[in-house]
Amino acid sequence: MSFNQMHIKDAFELPKETVLNEFYERIISIPIEARTNLKNELITVIGEERTRGVFIRYGWHCGVSDAEKAMSLQWDDEMDLVNAGPKFHRLHGYLDKVEILEMRFDEQKKCNFIEVLWINTFEASQYLKDKGLSEGPVCHTLCGYASGYLSKVLQQPILVKEVECRAMGHEQCKCICMPIEKWGEEITSDLSYYQANSMIKELDEITAKLKMERDHLSKASDIHRQLIEELLSNQGLQKVVDILFETTGLTVFIEDEYNQIIVKSGNLPNPLTLNTFRDSNTTFVRYSEKLSLLRTPIFYGQQVKGYCSFVYTGENQPNELDYMIIEKAAITSSLILLNESIKVTTEQTIKRSFLNDILEGRLAKEEMYKIAYYLDFNPSSTYWMLTFERFVKEPKIEHEIAFNEELIRHIHLFLKERTINSIVSQKLNKIIILMEYPTFESLHISQSTFINQLLKHCSRRFPKYRISVGVSSVIQEFSQTVTLYNETLAALRATNNRKNVYYFEELGIESVLFQIQDDVLIERFVNQHIGRLLEVDSNEFELIKTLFAYIDNGSSINDTAKELSMSISGLRYRLAKISEILNHDLNDTQYAFTLYLAINILKAKGKIEM
């Protein structure tokens, strides 16, 4: 009897070598170690999921081939073919033994459920030897083989799923075999492994993606090259946003660490409130129904010093290229800002040292003019000065210094935005601002408006601090800078809780006393001359006001009575009382001038109102 005429039940009773030679024209052996190495290389090249698909489909084709061989023999029903499957498994050395735990049939007596136990599969054994315990089933070839074999002999798509695996720590491997439609959504992810064209499709998609990424890299590299060229040519941030707008067609802007837009290119809605969009990573945020922003932080000194943003309208969203470009732009912007910071810091350090040398009298006039010319300060121009004094001090000296430096930097940015030629420094915990007056005049605003804008600018950054400002006059001689400083100090001594900006030119004769740097001496002068009067005077300061009006009217009884709406006798009584308290003749001109000066100091400091 020929082999093809044998019944399938009897075929496997023959010696293994005979069965192999009858079933297959030629057999090759593959060592398990070699197969494992191949699998590991595939995982490295195409990933674990795709490698799993390769071995599942390999098993599928082997199973279909053996099913066709089984069907070429004699068999009574499909159960003869199903029972031959485990024998093929052992014939190939896939495992040691197969136990069919359960088998179910449908109404037409078609097998539609099989639960099988696989004893000592080669895939589980090799995985345990090579890698240890697995997180999921590893018998991919066996599952593919059983799926292909059963699908062929049962003439319907069968999917075999391993539910327990020895590589996961189970005692043996167990699988369930069912028609695909009975599995439902449970095997949705498994079906892709059986699609022969899935890898080709994936490779096509990967190729297309790689091509797109190559094009993106090429364009991003070209833009980055342009940005670096502008960086090396000392171009500023405006050139950066112009290049980004020209190359991407997207509106772009850069803001500082306080969320104030400093440069922009394209059509930007104005204004934008950006202080709620602060993040240390690149993010795509919805600003409004019609506007979205792709924002990336600009770092230097390990701190966020600003943001670079692309603007998208409607439902438009960034692609991978946009992310690549904006991050490269942020790096370039960071380098530009760092370069500008070093440049500004160096320049400001030189200017501050120069101003301090002037105020300390360490420079001769000729040397002063020479350095001023070098620093682009015209010695023949006009100048004025502001001195800031802060009333809330930091508890630690290092915090105080850090705060003053931050305040100086903030003021410098304000002045730079308005192109005012200036020096900002500090002396005795006071911030000094020397400005070339013509550069201020080009703003075409009043001194008071300018100072209020500057104070508002500072209060936004430092809201808890109260700052007083002393304002000097305008001088025509650069060498008189010390005079400007003394004027601002005199003006600061006149500030009070109701008024934080005082102009030296608003001071009267009391400005002479206010130029004394020791406040204790000024208070002693006031107390020495009108202290007794202050002690007995009421809260309304009637006696002080009467004395001031009398001196202000040239010691004229009639003019003073008329101004105060008092009777002559009443005024004489009050003046006599004042003279008695002060123990001095009020008609003494020199003494009256001293009293007048003391009262003016009280007025200037806001302690009394006239």
Side-chain angles (χ1 to χ4, degrees), residues 25-118:
E25 294 181 2
R26 187 174 183 178
I27 293 292
I28 62 171
S29 62
I30 302 177
I32 292 179
E33 289 79 5
R35 180 189 177 282
T36 301
N37 291 334
L38 172 62
K39 182 177 181 180
N40 291 335
E41 288 190 20
L42 285 174
I43 290 174
T44 302
V45 175
I46 63 176
E48 191 164 342
E49 288 299 305
R50 296 189 183 94
T51 300
R52 177 181 177 181
V54 168
F55 283 94
I56 285 177
R57 287 191 292 276
Y58 166 73
W60 170 278
H61 292 302
C62 290
V64 170
S65 176
D66 282 355
E68 291 174 345
K69 291 177 174 58
M71 294 171 73
S72 68
L73 299 179
Q74 301 299 314
W75 47 278
D76 298 328
D77 53 36
E78 61 184 16
M79 289 310 303
D80 289 339
L81 298 174
V82 170
N83 290 325
K87 298 176 182 177
F88 276 108
H89 268 325
R90 293 196 302 275
L91 182 68
H92 293 298
Y94 290 160
L95 41 67
D96 289 347
K97 184 179 180 182
V98 178
E99 293 183 7
I100 299 178
L101 302 177
E102 184 180 358
M103 191 177 296
R104 301 176 194 164
F105 300 87
D106 60 16
E107 297 175 353
Q108 287 76 34
K109 296 185 179 181
K110 284 272 191 179
C111 180
N112 63 3
F113 177 88
I114 305 175
E115 185 179 10
V116 177
L117 200 65
W118 289 334

Side-chain angles (χ1 to χ4, degrees), residues 295-409:
R295 293 165 58 78
T296 191
I298 298 173
F299 287 94
Y300 69 83
Q302 296 182 336
Q303 292 182 330
V304 176
K305 293 298 182 179
Y307 293 88
C308 181
S309 300
F310 284 160
V311 179
Y312 299 83
T313 57
E315 299 300 320
N316 293 328
Q317 294 189 6
N319 54 37
E320 292 183 11
L321 178 60
D322 294 343
Y323 278 91
M324 295 170 64
I325 292 173
I326 200 169
E327 289 178 356
K328 291 182 181 296
I331 294 173
T332 305
S333 301
S334 174
L335 293 173
I336 291 175
L337 288 174
L338 179 60
N339 182 50
E340 289 182 354
S341 176
I342 294 172
K343 180 180 177 182
V344 167
T345 301
T346 303
E347 180 182 343
Q348 289 301 307
T349 300
I350 295 173
K351 287 182 176 180
R352 288 166 64 175
S353 177
F354 173 54
L355 180 57
N356 289 338
D357 285 344
I358 293 175
L359 298 180
E360 294 295 332
R362 290 193 286 260
L363 296 176
K365 186 174 181 179
E366 183 179 347
E367 186 179 7
M368 183 191 306
Y369 278 21
K370 188 183 297 182
I371 297 174
Y373 181 81
Y374 171 74
L375 294 177
D376 199 28
F377 286 95
N378 184 356
S380 61
S381 184
T382 53
Y383 291 86
W384 68 312
M385 183 180 289
L386 307 178
T387 297
F388 281 30
E389 185 173 26
R390 180 167 46 88
F391 291 96
V392 179
K393 303 298 183 183
E394 295 293 338
K396 296 183 179 179
I397 185 64
E398 58 268 26
H399 294 165
E400 181 75 12
I401 294 172
F403 175 87
N404 284 342
E405 290 298 326
E406 182 67 12
L407 180 58
I408 288 173
R409 191 176 75 87

